[in-house]
Amino acid sequence: MIMMEKSELDILTEKFFNGETTDEEELRLHEAMKSVQPSTFLSAQPPVPDGLEQRLSRQIDQWNIIEKKTERSTRTVVMRRVIGVAASIALVAGVGFMALQKPDAAQFANEEETFNDPEAASMKAEKALAKFSHSINKGLEIMDNATNKKTKKRNK
């Protein structure tokens, strides 16, 4: 093994990295490096920056918040799709049920022109319009209640 002084080792290393060494110098450098203990290069611990632990903790907390928001939004999207599919199935089932409950064409034809008295026809129409108005008012009341609940939730 070749023992070299630190300054000579530094000079040869600098020349090596600049590509200026001869074969003999590279061989000497190689032999000198074999004798150097690896622990001498690794013995010094790098300094830990101030506040590193707090910054890492804050960053991890931010990642957790983002992950929770993503999970929540994914769950919301899935629930909306499931509710949409359920509503579609209910609509199709309702239309199908109504189609099966449709009165016979002969019965409908008999009921079509049963009013010879204009006053009786007027009373029947008035009754039908009152029933329709009641149904519309009930639906609007339900919509108002739902809108008020959403507004109250947003204000909280």
Side-chain angles (χ1 to χ4, degrees):
M1 279 192 220
I2 301 174
M3 293 300 285
M4 259 188 228
E5 289 185 26
K6 187 175 183 322
S7 61
E8 187 181 354
L9 184 62
D10 289 342
I11 292 169
L12 278 179
T13 306
E14 182 70 29
K15 283 177 70 177
F16 177 79
F17 284 120
N18 290 332
E20 301 169 349
T21 54
T22 63
D23 289 340
E24 181 183 310
E25 289 172 330
E26 285 182 22
L27 186 60
R28 284 181 49 210
L29 185 60
H30 181 68
E31 290 296 322
M33 289 306 235
K34 281 184 185 177
S35 65
V36 174
Q37 297 285 333
S39 63
T40 57
F41 292 114
L42 302 175
S43 63
Q45 288 271 338
V48 176
D50 292 335
L52 178 66
E53 187 174 337
Q54 290 84 9
R55 288 184 293 184
L56 287 174
S57 177
R58 188 173 47 243
Q59 185 65 44
I60 290 170
D61 291 342
Q62 287 175 348
W63 288 336
N64 286 338
I65 290 169
I66 291 170
E67 185 178 3
K68 286 178 184 176
K69 285 182 181 178
T70 304
E71 287 175 5
R72 210 174 296 135
S73 66
T74 302
R75 198 173 340 145
T76 302
V77 168
V78 168
M79 287 303 293
R80 284 183 181 168
R81 288 185 181 167
V82 167
I83 290 170
V85 168
S88 299
I89 290 171
L91 181 66
V92 168
V95 169
F97 180 73
M98 293 300 291
L100 292 175
Q101 297 298 322
K102 188 169 73 173
D104 293 355
Q107 182 185 358
F108 184 71
N110 288 338
E111 291 178 3
E112 192 171 357
E113 295 185 25
T114 57
F115 294 108
N116 295 330
D117 182 20
E119 211 173 291
S122 174
M123 291 196 50
K124 189 74 168 179
E126 208 173 297
K127 185 177 176 182
L129 288 173
K131 189 174 182 179
F132 178 72
S133 175
H134 177 71
S135 296
I136 291 291
N137 288 337
K138 189 175 179 180
L140 289 173
E141 184 180 318
I142 290 170
M143 282 180 45
D144 285 342
N145 289 341
T147 304
N148 289 338
K149 285 181 183 177
K150 279 186 178 180
T151 305
K152 286 178 184 177
K153 283 183 182 179
R154 287 184 185 160
N155 290 339
K156 287 185 179 182

